[in-house]
Amino acid sequence: MRNRWPLGIDRLLQILKADADDRLMDLFHHDFQDVANTIEHGLLGSHGFRTNEPSNIAAMLSSQFEEFGVGLRRPVIFPLLGDGIFTQDGAAWRHSRAMLRPQFSKHLYQDLSIFCEHVDNLIARVAEHGHSLVGLDMQPLFFRLTLDVSTTLLFDDSTYSLRADWAGKETEFAKHFAIAQDFVVQRFRYLNLYWLAGGRPFLKACASVHQFVDNIIERRETNLKAGVEGGRYYFIDAIANETQDRKALRSQLINTLLAGRDTTAVLLTWTLWVFAPSIEIQSELTLSSYLLPRYPDVLQRVRAEINSVFGPGEELTRDGIRKMKYLANVLKETLRLFPPIPLNIKTVYKTTTLPRGGGPDGSSPLLVREGDTIAFIIYSTHRRKDLYGEDAEEFRPERWEGDMPLYHDEVNANWSYLSFNGGPRHCLGQDFALIEASYTIIRILQAFPSIKPGQYERPQSQEWLADSSSESGRVMKTSRERQKMTLVMSLSDGCPVVFG
């Protein structure tokens, strides 16, 4: 992409504007549609590429894995996450992964009891507050739920934030975690000038997050010394056996807590957002009745599947959840359109080539040099019509029951859907996250026969002018929802729902 201003300042301003307007991923997706599936760019003195090409992603994540690494991600995010699995490469990363993998053994949550108590607490909060015509914002409740579940799994010391009076220490943790993530996103925007963003407020937020986890570590150590054990071997115990370094222990736990809390919380939020029935726009000025998409037929089919698998009052089981193929496809389709981590950045460690992006038509290999940054944006990959069909930007779980263009090519079939990453860095917690999300959705639908859209204070759909390579130079685009980008992609204005 050509920059109009020195150092790509014009492009940076476009990115910052799109981010402020809650449509950053739509800007990137438009660029791919307008220019090519792999785009070269220069920004603030850094050289790099953006791609949504499955073959390039496969090379970086698998076949040429050792030639690409976390690179810039480490200094950008290190003040928050420290030296953990998401900031490591090489031997340190392999050691962390080997240490964490056994902790995701399915037998640890085979009976689903780890979820039951916390989902009970969620349903109790919804029953208390979910009947207002304005609606109850489910997004912060889902973040509380996944925090409670994750701290149980990691520490045997749940925060029980859904039991609290909505203003406890866990709320302070969540607030500072969000502040720190906002600064991390800013630091990513500035690439090699990442140090310009943050300063004292960023470090203060990180320190608060660290203290929260340190307190949990201290309580666990105190309980173990006093002989108060839960009878199980938890994440914290496994990691503590590997290191006596408190900072290293804290870093690994924060890395895992981030993965367990944020990604599943936004998956649940987007799924419930999808379930809410559509309503008509009464007026451009009627903020409380703007379109909340969109698919009541999907909700009805999921309810029918639940009733066919689980009888009234029957306890949920893993085997029963596995039988729910349509719910699995709903979650998969939600993750396709709204991946919790919609982009990732790699740094080239060794001058090499990627399979596509070079030559006049972009079909030849592409030279990438040591030090280049490459952002692969699965948000756009997941919406490519040549991979998912002409309705690629529509929510249709049934697509996973039939044929799609991506299945006609081996690389595309394996590397066009990456909501849980791929290759050696494939998400260790995929099964846990999907079971947690499935269990929660089923319980909510069993508890509440009616789910209706709540009220937003502003329109969620917005039109915007995008630069274009067409003769006009500009094109009108529409973003259907307001997306907030931190380390995950959430709903900027939350997910208000009325339950009945």
Side-chain angles (χ1 to χ4, degrees):
M1 295 184 69
R2 292 181 178 273
N3 296 324
R4 295 189 177 94
W5 297 358
L7 298 178
I9 297 298
D10 58 316
R11 185 59 184 166
L12 177 61
L13 293 176
Q14 289 179 10
I15 291 172
L16 294 177
K17 170 65 173 171
D19 191 37
D21 290 344
D22 308 316
R23 52 173 179 80
L24 181 60
M25 289 301 104
D26 285 343
L27 172 65
F28 290 156
H29 184 48
H30 160 73
D31 290 340
F32 287 124
Q33 292 176 314
D34 185 60
V35 180
N37 290 324
T38 299
I39 302 172
E40 184 176 10
H41 64 83
L43 189 64
L44 300 180
S46 299
H47 180 263
F49 301 86
R50 294 200 307 274
T51 187
N52 67 7
E53 181 58 55
S55 59
N56 290 342
I57 298 172
M60 290 186 287
L61 296 185
S62 183
S63 61
Q64 297 171 232
F65 178 77
E66 298 296 338
E67 297 174 352
F68 301 87
V70 297
L72 188 64
R73 185 203 306 171
R74 182 174 174 86
V76 165
I77 204 171
F78 191 88
L80 174 61
L81 296 188
D83 195 24
I85 192 168
F86 293 134
T87 59
Q88 293 173 329
D89 277 318
W93 167 78
R94 286 190 288 272
H95 174 75
S96 292
R97 190 170 176 89
M99 178 175 58
L100 294 175
R101 183 185 294 110
Q103 311 314 313
F104 285 99
S105 174
K106 294 176 183 178
H107 80 270
L108 294 178
Y109 51 99
Q110 182 68 36
D111 62 0
L112 309 184
S113 61
I114 192 172
F115 308 119
C116 182
E117 178 182 18
H118 303 302
V119 175
D120 284 346
N121 293 335
L122 172 73
I123 290 172
R125 298 292 78 73
V126 173
E128 291 173 5
H129 304 279
H131 305 297
S132 164
L133 293 179
V134 175
L136 176 65
D137 185 1
M138 291 299 295
Q139 186 161 263
L141 291 184
F142 284 141
F143 272 87
R144 285 173 175 252
L145 169 69
T146 53
L147 176 63
D148 289 352
V149 171
S150 295
T151 50
T152 299
L153 178 69
L154 293 175
F155 313 126
D156 187 27
D157 185 6
S158 177
T159 49
Y160 284 116
S161 63
L162 285 167
R163 283 185 181 176
D165 60 359
W166 301 58
K169 290 182 179 179
E170 76 293 328
T171 306
E172 285 297 305
F173 163 78
K175 180 180 75 174
H176 287 110
F177 208 15
I179 291 172
Q181 290 189 50
D182 285 341
F183 279 119
V184 165
V185 171
Q186 292 180 36
R187 287 159 69 89
F188 272 121
R189 302 276 186 274
Y190 295 142
L191 298 175
N192 289 332
L193 300 178
Y194 65 86
W195 47 269
L196 290 174
R200 184 174 296 177
F202 174 51
L203 296 179
K204 181 180 178 180
C206 293
S208 178
V209 172
H210 296 169
Q211 187 61 54
F212 177 84
V213 177
D214 283 342
N215 290 341
I216 292 177
I217 294 172
E218 290 173 5
R219 286 199 299 272
R220 181 65 175 170
E221 290 175 346
T222 299
N223 288 340
L224 289 174
K225 289 177 181 177
V228 181
E229 300 183 33
R232 266 180 49 186
Y233 195 61
Y234 289 85
F235 266 73
I236 189 171
D237 304 316
I239 300 171
N241 284 341
E242 295 287 338
T243 179
Q244 300 301 311
D245 185 334
R246 173 64 66 86
K247 286 186 178 179
L249 174 59
R250 177 222 290 159
S251 295
Q252 293 288 9
L253 293 172
I254 293 175
N255 277 249
T256 311
L257 180 60
L258 169 68
R261 170 185 176 261
D262 291 40
T263 54
T264 308
V266 295
L267 168 58
L268 285 165
T269 303
W270 284 110
T271 303
L272 202 61
W273 181 87
V274 164
F275 279 163
S278 60
I279 55 178
E280 295 181 356
I281 302 171
Q282 296 180 2
S283 164
E284 291 184 0
L285 300 178
T286 306
L287 300 180
S288 65
S289 59
Y290 207 78
L291 180 66
L292 179 64
R294 234 167 244 110
Y295 306 97
D297 55 323
V298 173
L299 177 57
Q300 292 170 5
R301 186 170 170 183
V302 172
R303 286 191 185 279
E305 186 176 57
I306 293 171
N307 292 334
S308 71
V309 174
F310 298 108
E314 182 178 349
E315 183 178 354
L316 303 190
T317 63
R318 285 181 60 90
D319 288 341
I321 290 175
R322 285 196 193 99
K323 295 177 182 178
M324 298 189 62
K325 304 301 184 183
Y326 189 69
L327 175 59
N329 286 341
V330 167
L331 293 175
K332 194 170 186 178
E333 183 75 343
T334 302
L335 288 164
R336 181 184 72 84
L337 284 175
F338 310 109
I341 302 176
L343 82 164
N344 209 326
I345 298 175
K346 292 288 187 180
T347 296
V348 182
Y349 283 174
K350 175 186 176 182
T351 297
T352 185
T353 59
L354 290 175
R356 295 178 66 85
D361 62 355
S363 62
S364 300
L366 174 70
L367 176 67
V368 293
R369 293 181 170 84
E370 181 179 342
D372 284 350
T373 59
I374 304 177
F376 61 94
I377 302 178
I378 64 168
Y379 180 91
S380 183
T381 306
H382 289 181
R383 292 168 180 249
R384 279 179 50 171
K385 294 181 180 180
D386 60 325
L387 298 174
Y388 287 96
E390 288 302 311
D391 64 348
E393 298 196 45
E394 299 300 323
F395 182 87
R396 188 171 64 83
E398 292 77 11
R399 77 175 68 249
W400 297 101
E401 299 170 356
D403 188 30
M404 288 186 285
L406 64 90
Y407 292 144
H408 301 170
D409 176 270
E410 183 178 358
V411 172
N412 288 343
N414 291 324
W415 295 95
S416 294
Y417 178 78
L418 291 164
S419 292
F420 292 96
N421 213 343
R425 285 187 179 266
H426 186 274
C427 176
L428 291 171
Q430 176 176 347
D431 183 76
F432 185 85
L434 290 175
I435 289 294
E436 181 179 5
S438 299
Y439 181 91
T440 304
I441 291 297
I442 294 169
R443 290 286 310 280
I444 289 173
L445 296 185
Q446 287 178 326
F448 302 101
S450 173
I451 296 178
K452 298 179 180 179
Q455 299 177 358
Y456 283 106
E457 295 183 355
R458 60 176 176 172
Q460 295 300 288
S461 179
Q462 55 181 320
E463 293 185 337
W464 51 282
L465 278 173
D467 286 344
S468 172
S469 58
S470 65
E471 292 182 3
S472 66
R474 305 294 292 276
V475 61
M476 184 66 71
K477 305 291 290 187
T478 300
S479 294
R480 295 181 178 181
E481 62 281 327
R482 294 182 178 271
Q483 304 166 350
K484 179 177 175 61
M485 279 300 305
T486 54
L487 294 180
V488 295
M489 185 177 74
S490 60
L491 279 156
S492 183
D493 294 340
C495 183
V497 178
V498 178
F499 295 87

